[in-house]
Amino acid sequence: MKKVAIVNRTNLKNYGSVLQCCALCGAVESLGYEVEIVWETGNLSENYDFRLNKILITGIKLLTHPKLFKATFSSVKYVQQQVISEKTIKFFDSFVENNIRRVFYPSKMMHPKKIGQKYDKFICGSDQVWCTTSLYVDPLMYLRFAPKKKRIAYAPSLGRDYIPKYNKRQIRKYITEIPAVSVRESVGKRLIAELTGRNVPVVLDPTLLVERTFWDSRKALLEEREDYILCYFLSTPTMNTQNKILNFLRGQRKKVVALNSRLEYLEKEIEVIYPDCGPSEFITYVENAESVLTDSYHGMLFCIIYHKTFWSIKREYGEYDQSSRQLSVLSMLNLKERYCDTEDLLIQKKIDYIKVEEILNKERIKSLKYLRGALEND
């Protein structure tokens, strides 16, 4: 059986990051390959990506580009907003241990003539592994250590709607030297065309690449099944959006289950529960919710997988507009009315999930065809 290495981080305590990684492994395995997640040793943190080389290069870039301090501070502030209990960390670690096969190699092994002989193909993706504004253009995420002919990019997100000058040359070189490239969003397709002249396909996020039964087998059993509205926010919304959310929830008269961030602006009027929650629990909380409010891309995708009533809230932290990832999927599925930017949250028309599934099935076939072709191409 041919062997495939997927390059991604598995220690991040982010539902989307871990679940898309699990899904890409499952999709490649369904095509008849043995799969391992590959990463290098030497991370200084159990829960974040703090490699020494990354820290050094990031520091140098900050010194040469002092204007980037503000954006960096915003990112650090965002991380500090997260609510991660010790039990939640254990849930994450247990999910990864039970669902993802990982192999760690020392830096000296991360070379085409060494690790390149162990695998038939190498895949990078998905999630924001090619974030254009990153202070560290990560060679691992562009498969620089793998033989060129064995490199595949499956649905990486560029994360932004532009590429800053300080990263253009390096990103152009790295992408140009990957034979099989696809992206997750239409904005990424445009950026790569402008940067390299290549016309690359837009494919499904890995979480949509597998069937719902794949996720059913990885759910947690939870006793809590009372009616609730799920709120999953990656950042604290602006005061204006907070007021819209509060007005909406007042009318629903339901308790709220909140994941990832504290919603202090609700607590005086709404019963808010903050459960310990890993990836398996996350799937179940989405499935059991009466409805969902989220600014998370993958939160939105799991609402679609489980046919939930949901509102995709504009992401409002940091220096950058991150709406393209939400709007790209919603446009494809004819669900743009579920995106909330300046409008109040309303009880909108019921989602026709029969039509959504028709579109999704066609896109799944196209995306699997791309993936199969990239894996089989010598």
Side-chain angles (χ1 to χ4, degrees):
M1 182 180 289
K2 290 188 174 182
K3 200 169 183 179
V4 174
I6 296 175
V7 181
N8 215 321
R9 298 159 296 192
T10 54
N11 68 323
L12 303 184
K13 303 308 183 271
N14 175 281
Y15 303 115
S17 178
V18 171
L19 291 170
Q20 63 82 23
C21 196
C22 176
L24 187 52
C25 290
V28 175
E29 286 175 350
S30 73
L31 296 176
Y33 295 85
E34 183 181 347
V35 181
E36 292 177 343
I37 293 292
V38 168
W39 198 248
E40 67 178 357
T41 57
N43 193 4
L44 303 178
S45 170
E46 292 183 359
N47 303 320
Y48 302 98
D49 182 16
F50 293 154
R51 286 166 283 152
L52 184 58
N53 194 49
K54 178 179 180 179
I55 293 171
L56 290 174
I57 292 176
T58 299
I60 292 170
K61 190 163 284 187
L62 277 174
L63 291 174
T64 55
H65 297 81
K67 291 182 179 180
L68 300 177
F69 269 105
K70 184 177 180 181
T72 303
F73 176 77
S74 296
S75 297
V76 172
K77 186 178 180 181
Y78 153 65
V79 171
Q80 292 176 336
Q81 290 173 353
Q82 294 179 297
V83 179
I84 306 178
S85 67
E86 288 299 320
K87 193 171 182 180
T88 291
I89 290 173
K90 289 180 180 179
F91 282 157
F92 267 94
D93 292 342
S94 177
F95 181 90
V96 171
E97 186 68 27
N98 292 328
N99 292 280
I100 301 174
R101 184 180 180 186
R102 299 176 295 166
V103 181
F104 296 90
Y105 293 100
S107 297
K108 64 182 180 181
M109 278 292 295
M110 305 295 276
H111 187 277
K113 292 183 178 180
K114 294 181 179 180
I115 196 173
Q117 309 308 311
K118 291 179 173 290
Y119 300 93
D120 295 280
K121 292 287 182 177
F122 294 80
I123 302 175
C124 59
S126 174
D127 221 9
Q128 292 188 61
V129 297
W130 287 0
C131 183
T132 62
T133 56
S134 175
L135 295 177
Y136 181 62
V137 180
D138 196 339
L140 285 184
M141 293 302 191
Y142 292 85
L143 305 174
R144 303 299 295 172
F145 65 93
K148 187 183 298 186
K149 67 178 183 180
K150 293 185 177 182
R151 299 173 187 171
I152 300 170
Y154 183 83
S157 172
L158 280 71
R160 309 286 184 257
D161 59 2
Y162 73 101
I163 303 176
K165 289 183 179 179
Y166 60 82
N167 278 338
K168 270 190 177 180
R169 183 177 178 182
Q170 193 171 18
I171 291 176
R172 180 187 295 112
K173 175 179 173 60
Y174 283 5
I175 292 178
T176 300
E177 295 181 359
I178 300 176
V181 177
S182 63
V183 290
R184 196 178 71 178
E185 292 117 15
S186 55
V187 169
K189 178 184 177 75
R190 173 180 62 80
L191 289 176
I192 289 178
E194 293 172 353
L195 188 68
T196 69
R198 296 174 68 174
N199 181 25
V200 302
V202 177
V203 293
L204 290 179
D205 183 89
T207 57
L208 299 178
L209 200 57
V210 295
E211 300 287 347
R212 174 170 166 171
T213 52
F214 179 90
W215 298 119
D216 287 341
S217 67
R218 288 162 174 79
K219 292 185 301 186
L221 295 176
L222 300 177
E223 294 181 2
E224 181 63 62
R225 293 188 63 88
E226 293 182 22
D227 290 345
Y228 62 87
I229 294 174
L230 180 66
C231 288
Y232 172 36
F233 288 93
L234 297 177
S235 61
T236 301
T238 61
M239 287 297 296
N240 186 39
T241 301
Q242 288 180 25
N243 289 331
K244 293 174 185 176
I245 292 170
L246 180 57
N247 288 336
F248 174 80
L249 291 172
R250 282 188 186 122
Q252 299 304 297
R253 298 181 182 275
K254 303 285 183 183
K255 69 180 179 183
V256 167
V257 170
L259 303 180
N260 197 73
S261 299
R262 291 204 68 86
L263 308 180
E264 295 176 351
Y265 56 93
L266 299 180
E267 292 174 0
K268 290 183 179 179
E269 299 187 43
I270 308 290
E271 180 186 0
V272 184
I273 300 170
Y274 300 96
D276 299 304
C277 181
S280 291
E281 293 74 21
F282 171 80
I283 299 168
T284 307
Y285 275 118
V286 172
E287 183 189 26
N288 292 346
E290 180 175 288
S291 57
V292 181
L293 307 180
T294 184
D295 65 353
S296 160
Y297 174 78
H298 284 104
M300 175 186 72
L301 295 191
F302 273 88
C303 290
I304 293 168
I305 290 168
Y306 281 99
H307 294 186
K308 308 308 297 185
T309 299
F310 72 93
W311 289 267
S312 182
I313 312 296
K314 182 179 179 180
R315 191 90 165 266
E316 294 181 312
Y317 83 84
E319 302 294 307
Y320 312 107
D321 182 4
Q322 302 196 49
S323 61
S324 64
R325 77 196 67 175
Q326 294 156 292
L327 290 171
S328 185
V329 172
L330 293 174
S331 297
M332 177 187 72
L333 299 176
N334 295 324
L335 291 175
K336 284 187 72 174
E337 75 276 3
R338 310 311 301 185
Y339 183 70
C340 298
D341 184 356
T342 58
E343 299 299 320
D344 287 335
L345 296 169
L346 302 173
I347 302 298
Q348 299 163 342
K349 65 180 181 180
K350 187 176 180 180
I351 299 173
D352 187 346
Y353 274 111
I354 293 176
K355 291 183 178 178
V356 169
E357 286 295 335
E358 288 176 356
I359 299 171
L360 200 51
N361 286 334
K362 291 178 182 177
E363 294 298 325
R364 185 178 293 120
I365 290 170
K366 286 164 54 178
S367 296
L368 285 170
K369 182 179 179 181
Y370 163 81
L371 184 57
R372 185 189 297 275
L375 289 166
E376 292 177 352
N377 186 18
D378 292 327

